[in-house]
Amino acid sequence: MSDSRAPAAQAPALRAALARTWGETVALFAHVPFGVSLLAIWAVLTLIGVIVEQGRDPSYYAGAYAPPLARLILRLDIENIYHSPAYIGVLGLIICSMAAATFTKVIPRRIPRLNPVKIDAIPLHARLRVAGDPDAVRARLAAFFSSRGWQVRKRAFGGTEWTFADKSNWARRGVLVAHVGFVLIAVGTTIYWATGYSGQFAVLSGQTATIPQNGTKVALERFAYRIDPVRTKAGIVYQPIDYVSDAKVTARDGVTRDAVIRVNHPYDANGTLIYQSTYGFAIDFRVTHDGVPVPGPDHPLKEGEGFVVDGTTRAIQYQRFVGTIDRATGMPGADPRPNDPGVIVVAFDGDRPIGQALLPLGVPVDLGAGYKLEAARYVLYSGFQYRYDPGIPVVGIGAFVLLAGLCVSLYFVPARLFIIVRESGAGTSEVGVAATTVKGYDVFEDRFREIVEALRRDAPSVPHANEAAPAPVLGAV
Amino acid sequence: MDPTRELIDQVLLKTAIAAYATGALVLFAYFLTRNGLYRKIGAPLAILGCAAQLVELGTRWWMTGIWPLTNLYGSLSLFSALGVAIFVIFALRYDLWLVGGPVVAVSAIALAYGTTWNEGYMPAVPALQSYWIKIHVPIVISAYASFMVAFCVSLIYLMKAYGETRFAARRGAVRGIAATAGGPPVDLTLSASTYAATPALGSARIDTPATSQAAAAGDALAQWLEGLPSLARLDVMQYRVIAIGLPLLSLGIITGAMWAKEAWGAYWQWDPKETAALVSWIVYAGYMHLHTRPEWRGVKTAWISVLGFATIVFCYLGVNIWISGLHSYKM
Ligand code: HEM
């Protein structure tokens, strides 16, 4: 029996402990410096991703960094930091922190109830003595502030009547709007992570490529580019002006359509956007041994691709296309357009690079031991990126909500005046005014001074309570 | 290049550089001496430089039909012009001419450095051929310019706050500047007998008591520091300029994302430039949050503003020069 009662007795204690832990966690998350620390971690992780090039293969990091650093980059997912658990985790914590702060701090603090205050305890305060009994003075004060665009409300607390005047009260919700905007962006991004996809592919002229995730087919009929020579202070610069692919696209609906995919103008294939991102020159390499063709690569190679020369330990890598070989020097010329084209290849023995050469197109070169290599012809290829992102509308709305929230909270300073009027004898009243804003006092100091001066002008202080001079009247509005 | 165009371009450019260089010197002299004559000479020089630059960019566009902000020269040129323009607006509105020396000097340096990237008239690479460049770039640059002005205000704030800690330490009573920055309660209690005794507020407010005391005792440096706007006022100015810059930076990032979505199908590509702008955005969002806390408002937030501007410089120049990407202007 005692066994069954013990857990029952422990349950409230456990619940209390859990409630306390929950309360402490919420309080920690709602603490602004904690939230800002999370923002700082987010900034640092983001900055690391700017400095360390993202998405390269491991050999790149091994080459670019000292071995311990390269290992660290790969082990900690720094090469793909924006999709790493740490990055996504920090964003999740920021959202939690923002939510905790919004409910426990922003709403109570930024949208406070109308409550009486100790006028003199508020740094921005003033006291004036004016003519008239309290009711009349209150009425004149209400008219004074209303006519200047303040929202005036009256409340009685324990028999004392208070007047509250608010400016830009609506703008107190700006923070909420900004926080909601940020959450919407996070939701939209999550929708993409959960259901969207993206990638890239290259198609040679005359060939077809398929987007693996949805089966969309892109048949490239023709690719064209325009590069113009431009005379600048530094000499002639060959400036790319345009590139465009003529293709036939068969989207998910099974219908084939003619598509002109031009740089800066993505093609929409049933919700998947296909963007003209790059182009290049694929090369048809041929190898002979003692004049007899030997098997070479089975497709034209793109920049960076290579092949092993059949029957040897040697490999050839196609490094880069040279549009124009300078006739005088035999070196790559500045004009990237294929006038007198060639290719730069690197030869390897096993993994070891043994030399680099510039091969004019159509001219076989000796590789030694009876082998000859020829870059026979080039085929233009077009490089595309694609993306299906159903989260875009949510992100878009979130971005504008966030911006609206920022503008509201940063350009408008909601201020509240607390006004109390007390009888002070000889037909006069004492007016106490204090001001609070959501951004501290300094930001409102000048404005408060102007308000008090306007009040003073309209209702000059009674020179001295015991002086006989007639008390001035709070000016007409 | 057409010699007439070249000549107009050069005349305007040299006018701007000369106006900024002398304007910066004169406004620095104003900063040091508070002699109003320097302000009267420096302010028109700054305005002249700014106008010459804007006209130069406008004529470039008009004469070549090529949007001038597609290279680092055009961009830095607009940055310096907008930096001066924002400063002038603030100076006119809040009597902030004291900040002119550093602002105009930074603008002059930015413009002079920009001219080293002036390649002449080049059509934009395909990635930059879009009407979005006319919307996105000026917005982002105006955000950078606002942060530059805020940075200059922060420097003056930190200088004055540092002076206060030194004088307070000398007095043997080091008081936290954060507390002074928030300011002692301002008693505006008005009655006929006390109103006249109420210290003037705003620019004349005293929130550096140790400096004031040293100034009263005849210390020349303290007297000079005393003449700067109060810490509270400098803090409010810095906040106000950042409050303009942050929504502009947000809008800049959003228009950049819209451009990317329209041109490249993806609104966010983790391109080094947009990512670096996100870093700056986070830093300034952090600033805004900490600025709501009285214990952080002051020296700490001024340092965050300095850090924020360092991230802007990295985003603006560091990424363009050291890290390539869609935004490097040199594809
Ligand atoms: C990164 C996304 C965020 C954005 C865009 C954002 C936006 C804003 C804005 C614009 C303000 C008004 C600032 C002012 O009036 O000067 C604000 C205030 C506030 N934010 Fe955030 N915020 C974000 C994240 C957070 C986080 C992570 C927290 C968690 C602690 C948080 C808690 C608060 C609080 C408590 C306030 C009100 C401060 C006060 O009135 O004392 N925010 N936020």
Side-chain angles (χ1 to χ4, degrees):
Chain A
M1 243 184 134
S2 62
D3 280 348
S4 63
R5 226 181 311 153
Q10 280 165 6
L14 185 67
R15 262 203 302 277
L18 281 177
R20 205 174 43 247
T21 313
W22 170 252
E24 281 166 8
T25 312
V26 170
L28 172 71
F29 272 65
H31 191 46
V32 170
F34 177 79
V36 175
S37 311
L38 291 174
L39 291 181
I41 297 172
W42 181 26
V44 170
L45 294 180
T46 307
L47 187 62
I48 291 174
V50 177
I51 294 164
V52 177
E53 215 173 309
Q54 296 292 290
R56 304 291 294 260
D57 57 59
S59 59
Y60 166 80
Y61 301 100
Y65 296 93
L69 212 54
R71 274 198 300 276
L72 198 73
I73 288 173
L74 296 171
R75 271 207 206 123
L76 298 181
D77 293 329
I78 291 175
E79 89 289 6
N80 190 17
I81 198 162
Y82 304 125
H83 301 98
S84 66
Y87 199 82
I88 295 164
V90 166
L91 285 174
L93 288 175
I94 289 174
I95 301 271
C96 294
S97 167
M98 204 165 79
T102 302
F103 288 108
T104 64
K105 294 237 171 95
V106 174
I107 294 176
R109 199 190 287 165
R110 291 238 164 185
I111 311 175
R113 297 215 189 102
L114 298 176
N115 275 333
V117 292
K118 282 203 179 90
I119 294 281
D120 297 340
I122 294 181
L124 290 181
H125 69 268
R127 286 186 183 279
L128 306 106
R129 280 189 54 215
V130 296
D133 65 77
D135 281 343
V137 171
R138 260 183 229 115
R140 289 199 300 265
L141 279 168
F144 175 91
F145 284 110
S146 306
S147 71
R148 284 164 171 78
W150 293 75
Q151 178 197 2
V152 177
R153 286 173 290 178
K154 291 184 177 165
R155 296 283 184 280
F157 298 98
T160 310
E161 190 162 325
W162 283 80
T163 306
F164 300 91
D166 280 283
K167 194 71 161 214
S168 307
N169 204 21
W170 59 275
R172 291 177 183 272
R173 283 135 193 102
V175 184
L176 293 180
V177 176
H179 285 181
V180 168
F182 190 73
V183 172
L184 283 176
I185 294 175
V187 169
T189 317
T190 312
I191 294 175
Y192 168 69
W193 278 335
T195 60
Y197 45 78
S198 63
Q200 55 192 30
F201 62 91
V203 209
L204 264 59
S205 304
Q207 294 193 353
T208 301
T210 305
I211 294 178
Q213 290 94 338
N214 61 15
T216 298
K217 289 190 167 46
V218 179
L220 180 65
E221 297 190 323
R222 206 173 71 89
F223 174 80
Y225 60 86
R226 198 182 122 200
I227 294 176
D228 282 356
V230 179
R231 193 176 292 277
T232 70
K233 285 185 177 164
I236 291 190
V237 170
Y238 292 87
Q239 183 84 334
I241 302 292
D242 195 13
Y243 7 115
V244 54
S245 297
D246 286 325
K248 287 205 181 303
V249 177
T250 313
R252 274 183 297 185
D253 59 7
V255 180
T256 302
R257 296 178 181 86
D258 286 333
V260 177
I261 311 176
R262 169 169 259 123
V263 66
N264 284 352
H265 299 279
Y267 177 79
D268 188 341
N270 288 169
T272 302
L273 294 173
I274 303 174
Y275 156 60
Q276 171 75 63
S277 64
T278 179
Y279 70 92
F281 298 84
I283 302 292
D284 217 349
F285 283 101
R286 289 187 195 150
V287 185
T288 56
H289 186 227
D290 295 336
V292 181
V294 294
D298 58 0
H299 62 275
L301 298 187
K302 298 188 202 74
E303 293 85 342
E305 292 182 334
F307 65 98
V308 176
V309 179
D310 203 44
T312 71
T313 54
R314 304 238 159 140
I316 300 293
Q317 189 194 40
Y318 164 36
Q319 208 177 46
R320 133 173 126 77
F321 183 78
V322 173
T324 309
I325 299 175
D326 188 326
R327 280 171 201 234
T329 62
M331 300 300 283
D335 190 346
R337 296 169 299 181
N339 302 310
D340 193 357
V343 293
I344 295 180
V345 292
V346 185
F348 289 84
D349 191 11
D351 283 345
R352 195 168 50 86
I354 50 173
Q356 198 184 42
L358 172 58
L359 271 56
L361 234 59
V363 181
V365 291
D366 206 344
L367 289 180
Y371 284 93
K372 283 198 162 154
L373 172 71
E374 180 192 345
R377 63 178 188 117
Y378 70 83
V379 188
L380 265 173
Y381 70 85
S382 182
F384 297 101
Q385 283 175 5
Y386 62 91
R387 188 175 177 94
Y388 170 67
D389 184 350
I392 286 181
V394 182
V395 173
I397 293 169
F400 279 98
V401 170
L402 171 60
L403 184 63
L406 280 179
C407 291
V408 169
S409 15
L410 302 184
Y411 293 155
F412 297 90
V413 182
R416 174 165 293 172
L417 299 180
F418 301 80
I419 305 160
I420 188 161
V421 183
R422 286 206 175 91
E423 166 84 62
S424 71
T428 65
S429 302
E430 188 198 55
V431 179
V433 192
T436 60
T437 82
V438 296
K439 297 182 200 300
Y441 302 106
D442 296 336
V443 76
F444 200 64
E445 195 179 299
D446 289 350
R447 184 86 187 85
F448 187 66
R449 188 174 43 145
E450 282 162 23
I451 292 166
V452 171
E453 276 168 7
L455 268 179
R456 199 169 67 92
R457 263 197 316 277
D458 280 4
S461 322
V462 179
H464 248 292
N466 52 5
E467 275 181 22
V473 182
L474 193 71
V477 180
Chain B
M1 203 182 298
D2 178 346
T4 324
R5 275 192 215 166
E6 176 82 22
L7 185 69
I8 296 178
D9 194 63
Q10 285 306 311
V11 168
L12 288 167
L13 188 59
K14 288 192 173 132
T15 308
I17 293 183
Y20 281 162
T22 40
L25 285 176
V26 174
L27 285 171
F28 257 118
Y30 173 59
F31 178 61
L32 295 173
T33 63
R34 317 286 149 71
N35 179 338
L37 180 68
Y38 290 128
R39 199 198 69 198
K40 286 193 189 122
I41 301 171
L45 280 171
I47 295 169
L48 171 71
C50 177
Q53 270 199 285
L54 293 174
V55 173
E56 192 250 354
L57 289 172
T59 12
R60 262 187 177 227
W61 187 20
W62 176 60
M63 286 168 122
T64 61
I66 298 170
W67 179 245
L69 303 182
T70 50
N71 56 35
L72 196 52
Y73 164 68
S75 156
L76 276 167
S77 187
L78 186 68
F79 168 75
S80 47
L82 287 181
V84 173
I86 290 171
F87 151 70
V88 169
I89 292 168
F90 265 77
L92 289 172
R93 171 84 177 74
Y94 299 105
D95 190 17
L96 209 66
W97 293 102
L98 281 175
V99 187
V103 171
V104 181
V106 173
S107 293
I109 293 167
L111 180 60
Y113 176 61
T115 55
T116 65
W117 290 84
N118 187 359
E119 304 114 331
Y121 307 96
M122 278 245 279
V125 294
L128 299 180
Q129 291 164 18
S130 163
Y131 62 91
W132 278 108
I133 198 168
K134 299 188 180 121
I135 302 170
H136 169 67
V137 178
I139 293 175
V140 172
I141 304 273
S142 43
Y144 293 170
S146 316
F147 294 134
M148 186 266 278
V149 175
F151 163 76
C152 293
V153 178
S154 310
L155 288 185
I156 297 178
Y157 183 101
L158 289 170
M159 196 171 68
K160 187 159 186 184
Y162 178 72
E164 172 65 6
T165 38
R166 300 297 304 203
F167 287 116
R170 214 186 273 175
R171 213 174 55 172
V174 186
R175 278 215 235 115
I177 289 297
T180 14
V186 180
D187 194 351
L188 266 175
T189 305
L190 296 179
S191 71
S193 51
T194 59
Y195 186 74
T198 305
L201 295 169
S203 53
R205 178 168 152 198
I206 294 162
D207 51 9
T208 44
T211 310
S212 304
Q213 218 176 50
D219 185 299
L221 178 63
Q223 282 167 350
W224 182 78
L225 284 172
E226 260 298 87
L228 291 172
S230 68
L231 288 180
R233 190 175 183 81
L234 286 168
D235 174 71
V236 169
M237 287 307 117
Q238 172 198 274
Y239 174 84
R240 282 194 202 279
V241 196
I242 294 177
I244 289 176
L246 182 59
L248 280 172
L249 183 63
S250 314
L251 186 62
I253 294 175
I254 293 171
T255 51
M258 289 167 77
W259 178 2
K261 154 79 178 59
E262 192 182 296
W264 308 312
Y267 59 85
W268 194 265
Q269 313 226 47
W270 296 108
D271 167 69
K273 188 81 166 183
E274 65 190 4
T275 313
L278 176 64
V279 174
S280 301
W281 186 87
I282 301 170
V283 172
Y284 284 108
Y287 169 95
M288 280 299 165
H289 280 85
L290 292 175
H291 196 267
T292 63
R293 320 272 308 165
E295 70 275 21
W296 276 81
R297 203 180 298 143
V299 170
K300 290 179 196 159
T301 41
W303 276 115
I304 296 174
S305 159
V306 171
L307 171 72
F309 188 63
T311 66
I312 292 286
V313 173
F314 173 72
C315 169
Y316 191 10
L317 300 177
V319 173
N320 279 19
I321 293 164
W322 299 309
I323 299 169
S324 63
L326 291 171
H327 286 81
S328 66
Y329 292 121
K330 43 174 185 177
M331 289 174 67

